[in-house]
Amino acid sequence: MKTFSIAIHGGAGTLVKGMMTPELEAQYKSALQSALNEGYKLLDDGKSAVEAVEEAVKLLENSHLFNAGKGSVFTATETHEMDASIMDGKTLNAGGVSLITGIKNPVSLARDVMEKSEHVFLAGDGAMQFAKELDYKLEDASYFYDEFRHKQWLDIKDTDGFQLDHATKKDSKFGTVGAVACDQDGNIAAATSTGGMTNKKWGRVGDSPMIGAGNYANNKTCAISCTGSGEFFIRGVVAYDVACLMEHKGMSVKDASSEVIHKRILEIGGDGGLIAVDTNGNIAMPFNTEGMYRGQKSSDGVDDVSIYG
Ligand code: ASP
């Protein structure tokens, strides 16, 4: 049987060991392990890579620990605006949503855009109208309230600044979530979901919902989900860049991912990481920050979650 595998991330950044209590570290690891296990279980049952990445990302969105879904950061107007995307490497079908509010699982709305609309990317009021037509239930603001995230916002709300999730210094930690998977048929998929940046304004959209920037999948090469300084990941077209290095230079998923994260994105001033998988189930999880919440599980027996470098 072909190797099948899944990898997930919950954001990268300055994850200083000393600032993390053992209890919190255990909570992060347990949330990562549950998402990994559920996604893997679907693959083991013969389900598609698309099913597996949606399920894993949904579970991460349901945790208050990560900056996506329930744990999304606050915008400049004390609201939550979420972005998500998903791509199927077999068909190159893709769906993205941005600036959505009140939706418990933005990744599922992205999947509905992919499968139930003729479009790839819906934003703001239009995306909300689409959700309404599909009878999505809207959560009220209290569902997304988290004391820690509210404090992050209070600290910078009267400034022009914006901040990546739980930064210990400005721009130092990203809490976006994502999953990539290779199923038993060798099809791959990627999904990414985020609340964006604390105190963001003017309808700011990052790389996460943008196909090719923060998320990409193509059976010819690999499936990728990114986390990091979104503006740079957009300019570097990071996810597609990894796929291009594989397609045009014949690089492995590990070498291509490493080249982009340790060289090309650094050269233009970006930081963060990504997870990637190829159609043989090989996984790469490079990051150029001190840590990245991450996990991987494969039919070859790999099963681990980790945080630091
Ligand atoms: N890339 C995300 C954004 O810029 C942030 C993150 O990875 O946490 O919206």
Side-chain angles (χ1 to χ4, degrees):
M1 193 197 287
K2 269 183 77 73
T3 299
F4 55 93
S5 60
I6 181 165
I8 58 170
H9 72 77
T14 314
L15 314 175
V16 183
K17 245 185 184 155
M19 295 192 60
M20 175 83 94
T21 62
E23 293 74 27
L24 194 56
E25 186 168 327
Q27 277 182 39
Y28 272 107
K29 286 192 165 168
S30 146
L32 288 167
Q33 190 70 58
S34 312
L36 198 58
N37 290 350
E38 289 306 310
Y40 183 82
K41 188 170 172 299
L42 292 179
L43 296 174
D44 199 25
D45 289 346
K47 296 283 190 328
S48 72
V50 169
E51 296 279 344
V53 294
E54 182 195 4
E55 184 61 22
V57 167
K58 270 171 80 173
L59 289 171
L60 295 169
E61 287 175 338
N62 293 347
S63 163
H64 70 97
L65 294 171
F66 306 104
N67 172 21
K70 185 171 178 51
S72 291
V73 296
F74 283 86
T75 67
T77 51
E78 208 177 357
T79 59
H80 299 95
E81 286 180 353
M82 299 169 286
D83 304 332
S85 62
I86 190 163
M87 186 160 185
D88 179 350
K90 182 183 171 192
T91 58
L92 299 188
N93 280 341
V97 289
S98 67
L99 306 171
I100 59 166
T101 54
I103 304 280
K104 184 176 177 190
N105 293 115
V107 70
S108 299
L109 188 60
R111 184 172 176 190
D112 280 334
V113 170
M114 171 167 88
E115 292 176 353
K116 297 181 182 158
S117 85
E118 291 179 346
H119 306 297
V120 170
F121 202 148
L122 301 181
D125 291 347
M128 293 307 295
Q129 179 65 30
F130 177 70
K132 199 173 155 205
E133 283 169 24
L134 293 179
D135 286 332
Y136 270 75
K137 173 177 173 271
L138 293 190
E139 304 295 335
D140 64 41
S142 62
Y143 173 78
F144 300 95
Y145 180 85
D146 179 77
E147 204 181 326
F148 174 72
R149 294 250 153 63
H150 195 242
K151 185 168 179 311
Q152 284 181 316
W153 175 71
L154 287 175
D155 287 346
I156 59 167
K157 83 181 173 75
D158 293 324
T159 71
D160 260 347
F162 53 87
Q163 184 170 293
L164 283 148
D165 185 34
H166 11 236
T168 50
K169 59 179 197 273
K170 190 178 176 309
D171 287 4
S172 63
K173 182 161 180 277
F174 322 112
T176 292
V177 308
V180 294
C182 172
D183 64 28
Q184 295 193 27
D185 296 322
N187 293 317
I188 55 179
T192 306
S193 180
T194 189
M197 296 164 91
T198 300
N199 212 34
K200 64 182 181 178
K201 46 187 183 179
W202 306 306
R204 183 264 182 190
V205 177
D207 59 313
S208 310
M210 291 186 194
I211 300 305
N215 199 69
Y216 188 68
N218 186 336
N219 271 9
K220 266 194 199 167
T221 51
C222 60
I224 297 165
S225 169
C226 302
T227 173
S229 43
E231 277 65 13
F232 294 94
F233 278 63
I234 294 170
R235 290 177 209 159
V237 201
V238 165
Y240 189 62
D241 201 20
V242 173
C244 281
L245 288 174
M246 291 179 70
E247 184 171 354
H248 303 301
K249 281 196 158 179
M251 292 172 89
S252 68
V253 67
K254 278 209 164 43
D255 291 348
S257 303
S258 180
E259 165 91 12
V260 171
I261 290 299
H262 295 300
K263 197 156 169 256
R264 295 160 80 97
I265 192 75
L266 284 176
E267 280 167 5
I268 63 168
D271 58 347
L274 61 80
I275 52 173
V277 69
D278 68 15
T279 53
N280 291 317
N282 297 308
I283 287 171
M285 302 195 289
F287 50 94
N288 59 35
T289 47
E290 280 162 56
M292 178 166 82
Y293 295 105
R294 62 198 187 278
Q296 56 176 330
K297 189 161 177 152
S298 85
S299 56
D300 284 347
V302 174
D303 186 0
D304 63 66
V305 297
S306 31
I307 302 180
Y308 308 105

